[in-house]
Amino acid sequence: ARIAYMVRTRHLSNYFRNACREDRCNIMMSRVYPVILILSAAACVVSSLVGFFQGGSVPDAAFTALCSSLVIGIPITGLLGMEIPLSRICRMLRKKGALLNGWNAVDKFGNTDAFAVNTTELFPRGSIRVRKSFAVNDMEIEDITSVAASVLMSSGGALAEVFGELIRDDPRLRLNVDSLTYENELGITAWIKNKKVLVGNRHMMELHRVLIPGGGLARLDEFDAMRKNECFQMLYVAVNSRLMGVYMLEYKAALSARNALLQLIEDGTGIVVYTCDANINIPLIRSVFDIPPRFISIMSNEGSSVYDSVTFKVTEAQEALIATDGSLRALSSAIRAAALLKNGEGMSLMIQSICFVLGFLLVAGLCCVSPYSIDAFR
């Protein structure tokens, strides 16, 4: 699969080289130009014969026909077939914070199958809220929140900002996390002051055989019954294999993220989600964003490690084919534009052919009527 993802860079390199090197536009036009030259030469011969029989200047008639055919044929085919669509797309993308660097970018990103996206882009600040919190053991809810926030802020992701706000971003409430491991579709295992901390979903608590006070699994059933729909999820926090706290989270779709995803889905491009929040799964994304589940994949642990290595750093320079302001909306618009132009290449070639044929017929007709009929169109 061809998967696109965002990287951060300080400098866009080789911009002019990438914009000017031979691309599919040049290749297509190189096939049209010989045809234009041959037909223009034919128009030159016909115009010369007409000029000879009408008693006019044969060199002048031939030169006029040849130049007129070339002048009309070559620019019109390139302009209408390739440059005007690309120019219109680029003007539209600039308003959305994206840059598409010519037809080379179209060749590179026009056949993108999927887009790798972080949960912080799917759920920006304000789209996840803590509706309720419960302390279920002998630990105060403030202390539980401090532990959970320390783990989640160390792992990153959408929940890091949510729990950072709960502790008011107070560095005194953020504990040192000795080690951290994400268990796919379960949650995070961490060590804080030689204590094992689990932050994840119900399946994680059951798999690690966490001690649940007040009724065991029946108590978890009570918490799950409080959920109103799939947009509400429960987050569990356990310390040393004892359940300490429960948080009910509400996930909402940000309008900008939803529109960006719908743009990708309309063109058949799927999304691969990088997440450290086990509650962000295919059913939740389907419910929140109202997109078919077949377009959604959750990144595996192996994929996540590769994604970390290429995206969680700022590179000094990056090839300038697509550049954006860093938003999901901008990049999805650029990828969609590349796909539209890629799909329209065949149509562009047809437009080039039609434009030249019509222009050539006009010139040839005027030349055949009289070598000097074309003077007004010079």
PDB file of all heavy atoms in Angstrom, residues 85-102 105-106 109 263 321-341:
ATOM      1  N   PRO A  85      -5.717  23.421 -15.508  1.00  0.00           N
ATOM      2  CA  PRO A  85      -6.199  22.617 -14.367  1.00  0.00           C
ATOM      3  C   PRO A  85      -5.254  22.659 -13.171  1.00  0.00           C
ATOM      4  O   PRO A  85      -5.698  22.792 -12.022  1.00  0.00           O
ATOM      5  CB  PRO A  85      -6.298  21.202 -14.951  1.00  0.00           C
ATOM      6  CG  PRO A  85      -6.453  21.396 -16.411  1.00  0.00           C
ATOM      7  CD  PRO A  85      -5.653  22.614 -16.747  1.00  0.00           C
ATOM      8  N   LEU A  86      -3.948  22.561 -13.432  1.00  0.00           N
ATOM      9  CA  LEU A  86      -2.981  22.603 -12.335  1.00  0.00           C
ATOM     10  C   LEU A  86      -2.984  23.965 -11.645  1.00  0.00           C
ATOM     11  O   LEU A  86      -2.922  24.055 -10.420  1.00  0.00           O
ATOM     12  CB  LEU A  86      -1.585  22.284 -12.874  1.00  0.00           C
ATOM     13  CG  LEU A  86      -0.456  22.252 -11.844  1.00  0.00           C
ATOM     14  CD1 LEU A  86      -0.698  21.169 -10.805  1.00  0.00           C
ATOM     15  CD2 LEU A  86       0.896  22.045 -12.520  1.00  0.00           C
ATOM     16  N   SER A  87      -3.085  25.038 -12.424  1.00  0.00           N
ATOM     17  CA  SER A  87      -3.098  26.380 -11.849  1.00  0.00           C
ATOM     18  C   SER A  87      -4.332  26.589 -10.973  1.00  0.00           C
ATOM     19  O   SER A  87      -4.237  27.143  -9.872  1.00  0.00           O
ATOM     20  CB  SER A  87      -3.063  27.414 -12.973  1.00  0.00           C
ATOM     21  OG  SER A  87      -3.172  28.720 -12.452  1.00  0.00           O
ATOM     22  N   ARG A  88      -5.479  26.127 -11.426  1.00  0.00           N
ATOM     23  CA  ARG A  88      -6.708  26.289 -10.636  1.00  0.00           C
ATOM     24  C   ARG A  88      -6.621  25.501  -9.331  1.00  0.00           C
ATOM     25  O   ARG A  88      -7.020  25.973  -8.267  1.00  0.00           O
ATOM     26  CB  ARG A  88      -7.917  25.823 -11.454  1.00  0.00           C
ATOM     27  CG  ARG A  88      -8.226  26.715 -12.642  1.00  0.00           C
ATOM     28  CD  ARG A  88      -9.487  26.249 -13.347  1.00  0.00           C
ATOM     29  NE  ARG A  88     -10.641  26.290 -12.448  1.00  0.00           N
ATOM     30  CZ  ARG A  88     -11.835  25.793 -12.771  1.00  0.00           C
ATOM     31  NH1 ARG A  88     -12.018  25.214 -13.945  1.00  0.00           N
ATOM     32  NH2 ARG A  88     -12.835  25.873 -11.910  1.00  0.00           N
ATOM     33  N   ILE A  89      -6.096  24.287  -9.410  1.00  0.00           N
ATOM     34  CA  ILE A  89      -5.951  23.460  -8.209  1.00  0.00           C
ATOM     35  C   ILE A  89      -5.009  24.130  -7.219  1.00  0.00           C
ATOM     36  O   ILE A  89      -5.275  24.171  -6.008  1.00  0.00           O
ATOM     37  CB  ILE A  89      -5.437  22.055  -8.591  1.00  0.00           C
ATOM     38  CG1 ILE A  89      -6.540  21.253  -9.271  1.00  0.00           C
ATOM     39  CG2 ILE A  89      -4.914  21.319  -7.372  1.00  0.00           C
ATOM     40  CD1 ILE A  89      -7.649  20.792  -8.367  1.00  0.00           C
ATOM     41  N   CYS A  90      -3.889  24.662  -7.698  1.00  0.00           N
ATOM     42  CA  CYS A  90      -2.901  25.287  -6.800  1.00  0.00           C
ATOM     43  C   CYS A  90      -3.469  26.532  -6.126  1.00  0.00           C
ATOM     44  O   CYS A  90      -3.190  26.784  -4.955  1.00  0.00           O
ATOM     45  CB  CYS A  90      -1.629  25.615  -7.572  1.00  0.00           C
ATOM     46  SG  CYS A  90      -0.664  24.164  -8.037  1.00  0.00           S
ATOM     47  N   ARG A  91      -4.249  27.326  -6.853  1.00  0.00           N
ATOM     48  CA  ARG A  91      -4.875  28.502  -6.233  1.00  0.00           C
ATOM     49  C   ARG A  91      -5.832  28.091  -5.128  1.00  0.00           C
ATOM     50  O   ARG A  91      -5.905  28.721  -4.073  1.00  0.00           O
ATOM     51  CB  ARG A  91      -5.611  29.330  -7.297  1.00  0.00           C
ATOM     52  CG  ARG A  91      -4.710  30.138  -8.187  1.00  0.00           C
ATOM     53  CD  ARG A  91      -5.464  31.277  -8.851  1.00  0.00           C
ATOM     54  NE  ARG A  91      -6.606  30.794  -9.620  1.00  0.00           N
ATOM     55  CZ  ARG A  91      -6.555  30.468 -10.906  1.00  0.00           C
ATOM     56  NH1 ARG A  91      -5.403  30.564 -11.551  1.00  0.00           N
ATOM     57  NH2 ARG A  91      -7.626  30.047 -11.540  1.00  0.00           N
ATOM     58  N   MET A  92      -6.574  27.027  -5.360  1.00  0.00           N
ATOM     59  CA  MET A  92      -7.509  26.538  -4.349  1.00  0.00           C
ATOM     60  C   MET A  92      -6.760  26.025  -3.127  1.00  0.00           C
ATOM     61  O   MET A  92      -7.150  26.286  -1.984  1.00  0.00           O
ATOM     62  CB  MET A  92      -8.369  25.416  -4.935  1.00  0.00           C
ATOM     63  CG  MET A  92      -9.336  24.774  -3.954  1.00  0.00           C
ATOM     64  SD  MET A  92      -9.996  23.211  -4.564  1.00  0.00           S
ATOM     65  CE  MET A  92      -8.538  22.158  -4.417  1.00  0.00           C
ATOM     66  N   LEU A  93      -5.651  25.310  -3.347  1.00  0.00           N
ATOM     67  CA  LEU A  93      -4.902  24.726  -2.234  1.00  0.00           C
ATOM     68  C   LEU A  93      -4.226  25.796  -1.386  1.00  0.00           C
ATOM     69  O   LEU A  93      -4.112  25.637  -0.169  1.00  0.00           O
ATOM     70  CB  LEU A  93      -3.859  23.735  -2.763  1.00  0.00           C
ATOM     71  CG  LEU A  93      -4.392  22.416  -3.319  1.00  0.00           C
ATOM     72  CD1 LEU A  93      -3.249  21.566  -3.829  1.00  0.00           C
ATOM     73  CD2 LEU A  93      -5.183  21.655  -2.266  1.00  0.00           C
ATOM     74  N   ARG A  94      -3.758  26.870  -1.984  1.00  0.00           N
ATOM     75  CA  ARG A  94      -3.099  27.932  -1.215  1.00  0.00           C
ATOM     76  C   ARG A  94      -4.039  28.517  -0.175  1.00  0.00           C
ATOM     77  O   ARG A  94      -3.628  28.866   0.931  1.00  0.00           O
ATOM     78  CB  ARG A  94      -2.579  29.020  -2.154  1.00  0.00           C
ATOM     79  CG  ARG A  94      -1.310  28.662  -2.880  1.00  0.00           C
ATOM     80  CD  ARG A  94      -0.598  29.914  -3.377  1.00  0.00           C
ATOM     81  NE  ARG A  94      -1.440  30.680  -4.268  1.00  0.00           N
ATOM     82  CZ  ARG A  94      -1.484  30.522  -5.592  1.00  0.00           C
ATOM     83  NH1 ARG A  94      -0.757  29.573  -6.150  1.00  0.00           N
ATOM     84  NH2 ARG A  94      -2.259  31.284  -6.340  1.00  0.00           N
ATOM     85  N   LYS A  95      -5.323  28.615  -0.506  1.00  0.00           N
ATOM     86  CA  LYS A  95      -6.297  29.139   0.450  1.00  0.00           C
ATOM     87  C   LYS A  95      -6.494  28.180   1.625  1.00  0.00           C
ATOM     88  O   LYS A  95      -6.921  28.609   2.700  1.00  0.00           O
ATOM     89  CB  LYS A  95      -7.627  29.377  -0.249  1.00  0.00           C
ATOM     90  CG  LYS A  95      -7.568  30.431  -1.346  1.00  0.00           C
ATOM     91  CD  LYS A  95      -8.904  30.576  -2.043  1.00  0.00           C
ATOM     92  CE  LYS A  95      -8.834  31.599  -3.170  1.00  0.00           C
ATOM     93  NZ  LYS A  95     -10.132  31.722  -3.881  1.00  0.00           N
ATOM     94  N   LYS A  96      -6.193  26.907   1.424  1.00  0.00           N
ATOM     95  CA  LYS A  96      -6.364  25.906   2.478  1.00  0.00           C
ATOM     96  C   LYS A  96      -5.054  25.589   3.202  1.00  0.00           C
ATOM     97  O   LYS A  96      -5.009  24.693   4.038  1.00  0.00           O
ATOM     98  CB  LYS A  96      -6.949  24.622   1.890  1.00  0.00           C
ATOM     99  CG  LYS A  96      -8.346  24.812   1.302  1.00  0.00           C
ATOM    100  CD  LYS A  96      -8.904  23.505   0.779  1.00  0.00           C
ATOM    101  CE  LYS A  96     -10.313  23.703   0.219  1.00  0.00           C
ATOM    102  NZ  LYS A  96     -10.902  22.441  -0.283  1.00  0.00           N
ATOM    103  N   GLY A  97      -3.982  26.297   2.843  1.00  0.00           N
ATOM    104  CA  GLY A  97      -2.716  26.109   3.536  1.00  0.00           C
ATOM    105  C   GLY A  97      -1.855  24.995   2.985  1.00  0.00           C
ATOM    106  O   GLY A  97      -1.069  24.401   3.716  1.00  0.00           O
ATOM    107  N   ALA A  98      -1.987  24.695   1.686  1.00  0.00           N
ATOM    108  CA  ALA A  98      -1.215  23.605   1.091  1.00  0.00           C
ATOM    109  C   ALA A  98      -0.563  24.073  -0.204  1.00  0.00           C
ATOM    110  O   ALA A  98      -1.013  25.026  -0.842  1.00  0.00           O
ATOM    111  CB  ALA A  98      -2.099  22.394   0.827  1.00  0.00           C
ATOM    112  N   LEU A  99       0.509  23.384  -0.573  1.00  0.00           N
ATOM    113  CA  LEU A  99       1.244  23.671  -1.800  1.00  0.00           C
ATOM    114  C   LEU A  99       1.479  22.361  -2.543  1.00  0.00           C
ATOM    115  O   LEU A  99       1.987  21.403  -1.975  1.00  0.00           O
ATOM    116  CB  LEU A  99       2.585  24.333  -1.477  1.00  0.00           C
ATOM    117  CG  LEU A  99       3.589  24.453  -2.622  1.00  0.00           C
ATOM    118  CD1 LEU A  99       3.087  25.467  -3.632  1.00  0.00           C
ATOM    119  CD2 LEU A  99       4.954  24.873  -2.096  1.00  0.00           C
ATOM    120  N   LEU A 100       1.090  22.338  -3.816  1.00  0.00           N
ATOM    121  CA  LEU A 100       1.306  21.176  -4.678  1.00  0.00           C
ATOM    122  C   LEU A 100       2.321  21.568  -5.730  1.00  0.00           C
ATOM    123  O   LEU A 100       2.056  22.434  -6.559  1.00  0.00           O
ATOM    124  CB  LEU A 100      -0.023  20.749  -5.327  1.00  0.00           C
ATOM    125  CG  LEU A 100      -0.055  19.413  -6.067  1.00  0.00           C
ATOM    126  CD1 LEU A 100       0.110  18.264  -5.090  1.00  0.00           C
ATOM    127  CD2 LEU A 100      -1.366  19.265  -6.825  1.00  0.00           C
ATOM    128  N   ASN A 101       3.489  20.953  -5.697  1.00  0.00           N
ATOM    129  CA  ASN A 101       4.615  21.381  -6.528  1.00  0.00           C
ATOM    130  C   ASN A 101       4.581  20.697  -7.887  1.00  0.00           C
ATOM    131  O   ASN A 101       5.357  19.802  -8.190  1.00  0.00           O
ATOM    132  CB  ASN A 101       5.933  21.086  -5.811  1.00  0.00           C
ATOM    133  CG  ASN A 101       7.095  21.776  -6.505  1.00  0.00           C
ATOM    134  OD1 ASN A 101       6.917  22.527  -7.446  1.00  0.00           O
ATOM    135  ND2 ASN A 101       8.295  21.518  -6.029  1.00  0.00           N
ATOM    136  N   GLY A 102       3.636  21.127  -8.724  1.00  0.00           N
ATOM    137  CA  GLY A 102       3.619  20.688 -10.109  1.00  0.00           C
ATOM    138  C   GLY A 102       3.185  19.245 -10.315  1.00  0.00           C
ATOM    139  O   GLY A 102       2.716  18.555  -9.411  1.00  0.00           O
ATOM    140  N   ALA A 105       4.503  16.224  -8.152  1.00  0.00           N
ATOM    141  CA  ALA A 105       3.751  15.889  -6.941  1.00  0.00           C
ATOM    142  C   ALA A 105       2.537  15.026  -7.275  1.00  0.00           C
ATOM    143  O   ALA A 105       2.167  14.137  -6.513  1.00  0.00           O
ATOM    144  CB  ALA A 105       3.309  17.169  -6.231  1.00  0.00           C
ATOM    145  N   VAL A 106       1.927  15.288  -8.423  1.00  0.00           N
ATOM    146  CA  VAL A 106       0.785  14.474  -8.844  1.00  0.00           C
ATOM    147  C   VAL A 106       1.222  13.040  -9.092  1.00  0.00           C
ATOM    148  O   VAL A 106       0.548  12.084  -8.687  1.00  0.00           O
ATOM    149  CB  VAL A 106       0.147  15.078 -10.111  1.00  0.00           C
ATOM    150  CG1 VAL A 106      -0.963  14.184 -10.638  1.00  0.00           C
ATOM    151  CG2 VAL A 106      -0.395  16.476  -9.814  1.00  0.00           C
ATOM    152  N   PHE A 109       1.947  11.436  -5.483  1.00  0.00           N
ATOM    153  CA  PHE A 109       0.861  11.262  -4.513  1.00  0.00           C
ATOM    154  C   PHE A 109      -0.499  11.004  -5.159  1.00  0.00           C
ATOM    155  O   PHE A 109      -1.492  10.897  -4.448  1.00  0.00           O
ATOM    156  CB  PHE A 109       0.759  12.502  -3.617  1.00  0.00           C
ATOM    157  CG  PHE A 109       1.937  12.699  -2.718  1.00  0.00           C
ATOM    158  CD1 PHE A 109       2.981  13.529  -3.093  1.00  0.00           C
ATOM    159  CD2 PHE A 109       2.008  12.056  -1.502  1.00  0.00           C
ATOM    160  CE1 PHE A 109       4.085  13.708  -2.273  1.00  0.00           C
ATOM    161  CE2 PHE A 109       3.103  12.238  -0.670  1.00  0.00           C
ATOM    162  CZ  PHE A 109       4.140  13.067  -1.050  1.00  0.00           C
ATOM    163  N   GLN A 263     -13.284  13.935   2.725  1.00  0.00           N
ATOM    164  CA  GLN A 263     -12.655  14.189   1.434  1.00  0.00           C
ATOM    165  C   GLN A 263     -11.820  12.996   0.986  1.00  0.00           C
ATOM    166  O   GLN A 263     -11.864  12.580  -0.173  1.00  0.00           O
ATOM    167  CB  GLN A 263     -11.766  15.431   1.519  1.00  0.00           C
ATOM    168  CG  GLN A 263     -12.521  16.747   1.502  1.00  0.00           C
ATOM    169  CD  GLN A 263     -11.583  17.933   1.495  1.00  0.00           C
ATOM    170  OE1 GLN A 263     -10.361  17.776   1.607  1.00  0.00           O
ATOM    171  NE2 GLN A 263     -12.133  19.126   1.369  1.00  0.00           N
ATOM    172  N   LEU A 321       7.587  18.517  -2.532  1.00  0.00           N
ATOM    173  CA  LEU A 321       6.558  18.090  -3.480  1.00  0.00           C
ATOM    174  C   LEU A 321       5.182  18.515  -2.989  1.00  0.00           C
ATOM    175  O   LEU A 321       4.395  19.078  -3.730  1.00  0.00           O
ATOM    176  CB  LEU A 321       6.620  16.577  -3.685  1.00  0.00           C
ATOM    177  CG  LEU A 321       7.825  16.076  -4.493  1.00  0.00           C
ATOM    178  CD1 LEU A 321       7.873  14.566  -4.515  1.00  0.00           C
ATOM    179  CD2 LEU A 321       7.779  16.613  -5.919  1.00  0.00           C
ATOM    180  N   ILE A 322       4.892  18.234  -1.713  1.00  0.00           N
ATOM    181  CA  ILE A 322       3.687  18.757  -1.071  1.00  0.00           C
ATOM    182  C   ILE A 322       4.126  19.424   0.227  1.00  0.00           C
ATOM    183  O   ILE A 322       4.866  18.837   1.007  1.00  0.00           O
ATOM    184  CB  ILE A 322       2.669  17.648  -0.771  1.00  0.00           C
ATOM    185  CG1 ILE A 322       1.979  17.193  -2.067  1.00  0.00           C
ATOM    186  CG2 ILE A 322       1.612  18.135   0.207  1.00  0.00           C
ATOM    187  CD1 ILE A 322       0.927  16.134  -1.851  1.00  0.00           C
ATOM    188  N   ALA A 323       3.681  20.653   0.435  1.00  0.00           N
ATOM    189  CA  ALA A 323       3.951  21.362   1.687  1.00  0.00           C
ATOM    190  C   ALA A 323       2.629  21.884   2.234  1.00  0.00           C
ATOM    191  O   ALA A 323       1.756  22.301   1.464  1.00  0.00           O
ATOM    192  CB  ALA A 323       4.917  22.523   1.455  1.00  0.00           C
ATOM    193  N   THR A 324       2.463  21.820   3.548  1.00  0.00           N
ATOM    194  CA  THR A 324       1.219  22.267   4.175  1.00  0.00           C
ATOM    195  C   THR A 324       1.534  23.069   5.436  1.00  0.00           C
ATOM    196  O   THR A 324       2.679  23.142   5.874  1.00  0.00           O
ATOM    197  CB  THR A 324       0.320  21.072   4.569  1.00  0.00           C
ATOM    198  OG1 THR A 324       0.879  20.420   5.721  1.00  0.00           O
ATOM    199  CG2 THR A 324       0.202  20.081   3.429  1.00  0.00           C
ATOM    200  N   ASP A 325       0.482  23.628   6.031  1.00  0.00           N
ATOM    201  CA  ASP A 325       0.629  24.324   7.309  1.00  0.00           C
ATOM    202  C   ASP A 325       0.584  23.366   8.493  1.00  0.00           C
ATOM    203  O   ASP A 325       0.552  23.802   9.637  1.00  0.00           O
ATOM    204  CB  ASP A 325      -0.449  25.395   7.447  1.00  0.00           C
ATOM    205  CG  ASP A 325      -1.858  24.806   7.375  1.00  0.00           C
ATOM    206  OD1 ASP A 325      -1.995  23.571   7.370  1.00  0.00           O
ATOM    207  OD2 ASP A 325      -2.821  25.597   7.330  1.00  0.00           O
ATOM    208  N   GLY A 326       0.567  22.070   8.220  1.00  0.00           N
ATOM    209  CA  GLY A 326       0.574  21.071   9.281  1.00  0.00           C
ATOM    210  C   GLY A 326      -0.788  20.561   9.677  1.00  0.00           C
ATOM    211  O   GLY A 326      -0.892  19.649  10.495  1.00  0.00           O
ATOM    212  N   SER A 327      -1.852  21.102   9.087  1.00  0.00           N
ATOM    213  CA  SER A 327      -3.194  20.671   9.467  1.00  0.00           C
ATOM    214  C   SER A 327      -3.630  19.474   8.633  1.00  0.00           C
ATOM    215  O   SER A 327      -3.180  19.283   7.492  1.00  0.00           O
ATOM    216  CB  SER A 327      -4.191  21.815   9.280  1.00  0.00           C
ATOM    217  OG  SER A 327      -4.333  22.144   7.914  1.00  0.00           O
ATOM    218  N   LEU A 328      -4.517  18.680   9.224  1.00  0.00           N
ATOM    219  CA  LEU A 328      -5.078  17.527   8.524  1.00  0.00           C
ATOM    220  C   LEU A 328      -5.876  17.974   7.305  1.00  0.00           C
ATOM    221  O   LEU A 328      -5.837  17.337   6.249  1.00  0.00           O
ATOM    222  CB  LEU A 328      -5.962  16.731   9.483  1.00  0.00           C
ATOM    223  CG  LEU A 328      -6.675  15.507   8.926  1.00  0.00           C
ATOM    224  CD1 LEU A 328      -5.674  14.477   8.438  1.00  0.00           C
ATOM    225  CD2 LEU A 328      -7.585  14.889   9.979  1.00  0.00           C
ATOM    226  N   ARG A 329      -6.577  19.081   7.431  1.00  0.00           N
ATOM    227  CA  ARG A 329      -7.388  19.597   6.326  1.00  0.00           C
ATOM    228  C   ARG A 329      -6.522  19.950   5.121  1.00  0.00           C
ATOM    229  O   ARG A 329      -6.872  19.644   3.975  1.00  0.00           O
ATOM    230  CB  ARG A 329      -8.157  20.836   6.797  1.00  0.00           C
ATOM    231  CG  ARG A 329      -8.893  21.600   5.709  1.00  0.00           C
ATOM    232  CD  ARG A 329      -9.697  22.736   6.332  1.00  0.00           C
ATOM    233  NE  ARG A 329     -10.330  23.575   5.326  1.00  0.00           N
ATOM    234  CZ  ARG A 329      -9.843  24.721   4.876  1.00  0.00           C
ATOM    235  NH1 ARG A 329      -8.692  25.151   5.355  1.00  0.00           N
ATOM    236  NH2 ARG A 329     -10.496  25.433   3.973  1.00  0.00           N
ATOM    237  N   ALA A 330      -5.372  20.579   5.369  1.00  0.00           N
ATOM    238  CA  ALA A 330      -4.508  20.997   4.269  1.00  0.00           C
ATOM    239  C   ALA A 330      -3.937  19.806   3.523  1.00  0.00           C
ATOM    240  O   ALA A 330      -3.953  19.761   2.287  1.00  0.00           O
ATOM    241  CB  ALA A 330      -3.391  21.887   4.803  1.00  0.00           C
ATOM    242  N   LEU A 331      -3.430  18.814   4.266  1.00  0.00           N
ATOM    243  CA  LEU A 331      -2.806  17.675   3.598  1.00  0.00           C
ATOM    244  C   LEU A 331      -3.837  16.812   2.883  1.00  0.00           C
ATOM    245  O   LEU A 331      -3.588  16.316   1.776  1.00  0.00           O
ATOM    246  CB  LEU A 331      -2.013  16.831   4.599  1.00  0.00           C
ATOM    247  CG  LEU A 331      -1.197  15.699   3.972  1.00  0.00           C
ATOM    248  CD1 LEU A 331      -0.249  16.236   2.910  1.00  0.00           C
ATOM    249  CD2 LEU A 331      -0.420  14.938   5.017  1.00  0.00           C
ATOM    250  N   SER A 332      -5.000  16.622   3.481  1.00  0.00           N
ATOM    251  CA  SER A 332      -6.031  15.825   2.805  1.00  0.00           C
ATOM    252  C   SER A 332      -6.477  16.517   1.521  1.00  0.00           C
ATOM    253  O   SER A 332      -6.740  15.844   0.514  1.00  0.00           O
ATOM    254  CB  SER A 332      -7.223  15.619   3.741  1.00  0.00           C
ATOM    255  OG  SER A 332      -7.880  16.837   4.027  1.00  0.00           O
ATOM    256  N   SER A 333      -6.542  17.851   1.535  1.00  0.00           N
ATOM    257  CA  SER A 333      -6.908  18.580   0.318  1.00  0.00           C
ATOM    258  C   SER A 333      -5.846  18.411  -0.762  1.00  0.00           C
ATOM    259  O   SER A 333      -6.166  18.253  -1.947  1.00  0.00           O
ATOM    260  CB  SER A 333      -7.097  20.070   0.643  1.00  0.00           C
ATOM    261  OG  SER A 333      -8.152  20.264   1.554  1.00  0.00           O
ATOM    262  N   ALA A 334      -4.575  18.435  -0.362  1.00  0.00           N
ATOM    263  CA  ALA A 334      -3.492  18.274  -1.337  1.00  0.00           C
ATOM    264  C   ALA A 334      -3.482  16.878  -1.930  1.00  0.00           C
ATOM    265  O   ALA A 334      -3.300  16.698  -3.141  1.00  0.00           O
ATOM    266  CB  ALA A 334      -2.153  18.581  -0.667  1.00  0.00           C
ATOM    267  N   ILE A 335      -3.682  15.862  -1.097  1.00  0.00           N
ATOM    268  CA  ILE A 335      -3.709  14.489  -1.593  1.00  0.00           C
ATOM    269  C   ILE A 335      -4.902  14.279  -2.519  1.00  0.00           C
ATOM    270  O   ILE A 335      -4.808  13.626  -3.567  1.00  0.00           O
ATOM    271  CB  ILE A 335      -3.744  13.501  -0.417  1.00  0.00           C
ATOM    272  CG1 ILE A 335      -2.413  13.553   0.336  1.00  0.00           C
ATOM    273  CG2 ILE A 335      -4.024  12.085  -0.898  1.00  0.00           C
ATOM    274  CD1 ILE A 335      -2.373  12.672   1.557  1.00  0.00           C
ATOM    275  N   ARG A 336      -6.037  14.850  -2.132  1.00  0.00           N
ATOM    276  CA  ARG A 336      -7.217  14.719  -2.979  1.00  0.00           C
ATOM    277  C   ARG A 336      -7.005  15.409  -4.325  1.00  0.00           C
ATOM    278  O   ARG A 336      -7.401  14.894  -5.380  1.00  0.00           O
ATOM    279  CB  ARG A 336      -8.427  15.322  -2.267  1.00  0.00           C
ATOM    280  CG  ARG A 336      -9.729  15.059  -3.004  1.00  0.00           C
ATOM    281  CD  ARG A 336     -10.889  15.805  -2.393  1.00  0.00           C
ATOM    282  NE  ARG A 336     -12.133  15.382  -2.980  1.00  0.00           N
ATOM    283  CZ  ARG A 336     -13.261  16.069  -2.926  1.00  0.00           C
ATOM    284  NH1 ARG A 336     -13.279  17.218  -2.292  1.00  0.00           N
ATOM    285  NH2 ARG A 336     -14.370  15.616  -3.482  1.00  0.00           N
ATOM    286  N   ALA A 337      -6.371  16.601  -4.306  1.00  0.00           N
ATOM    287  CA  ALA A 337      -6.101  17.309  -5.548  1.00  0.00           C
ATOM    288  C   ALA A 337      -5.172  16.511  -6.455  1.00  0.00           C
ATOM    289  O   ALA A 337      -5.373  16.451  -7.676  1.00  0.00           O
ATOM    290  CB  ALA A 337      -5.495  18.679  -5.240  1.00  0.00           C
ATOM    291  N   ALA A 338      -4.151  15.886  -5.853  1.00  0.00           N
ATOM    292  CA  ALA A 338      -3.237  15.055  -6.644  1.00  0.00           C
ATOM    293  C   ALA A 338      -3.979  13.885  -7.281  1.00  0.00           C
ATOM    294  O   ALA A 338      -3.737  13.534  -8.445  1.00  0.00           O
ATOM    295  CB  ALA A 338      -2.100  14.548  -5.754  1.00  0.00           C
ATOM    296  N   ALA A 339      -4.900  13.282  -6.527  1.00  0.00           N
ATOM    297  CA  ALA A 339      -5.676  12.160  -7.074  1.00  0.00           C
ATOM    298  C   ALA A 339      -6.581  12.619  -8.210  1.00  0.00           C
ATOM    299  O   ALA A 339      -6.713  11.927  -9.233  1.00  0.00           O
ATOM    300  CB  ALA A 339      -6.499  11.519  -5.955  1.00  0.00           C
ATOM    301  N   LEU A 340      -7.202  13.795  -8.061  1.00  0.00           N
ATOM    302  CA  LEU A 340      -8.074  14.304  -9.119  1.00  0.00           C
ATOM    303  C   LEU A 340      -7.289  14.578 -10.403  1.00  0.00           C
ATOM    304  O   LEU A 340      -7.731  14.238 -11.506  1.00  0.00           O
ATOM    305  CB  LEU A 340      -8.770  15.580  -8.637  1.00  0.00           C
ATOM    306  CG  LEU A 340      -9.846  15.416  -7.567  1.00  0.00           C
ATOM    307  CD1 LEU A 340     -10.328  16.779  -7.078  1.00  0.00           C
ATOM    308  CD2 LEU A 340     -11.019  14.605  -8.095  1.00  0.00           C
ATOM    309  N   LEU A 341      -6.122  15.205 -10.257  1.00  0.00           N
ATOM    310  CA  LEU A 341      -5.312  15.484 -11.436  1.00  0.00           C
ATOM    311  C   LEU A 341      -4.780  14.201 -12.063  1.00  0.00           C
ATOM    312  O   LEU A 341      -4.686  14.087 -13.288  1.00  0.00           O
ATOM    313  CB  LEU A 341      -4.151  16.407 -11.055  1.00  0.00           C
ATOM    314  CG  LEU A 341      -4.534  17.855 -10.731  1.00  0.00           C
ATOM    315  CD1 LEU A 341      -3.339  18.610 -10.175  1.00  0.00           C
ATOM    316  CD2 LEU A 341      -5.076  18.563 -11.962  1.00  0.00           C
TER     317      LEU A 341
END
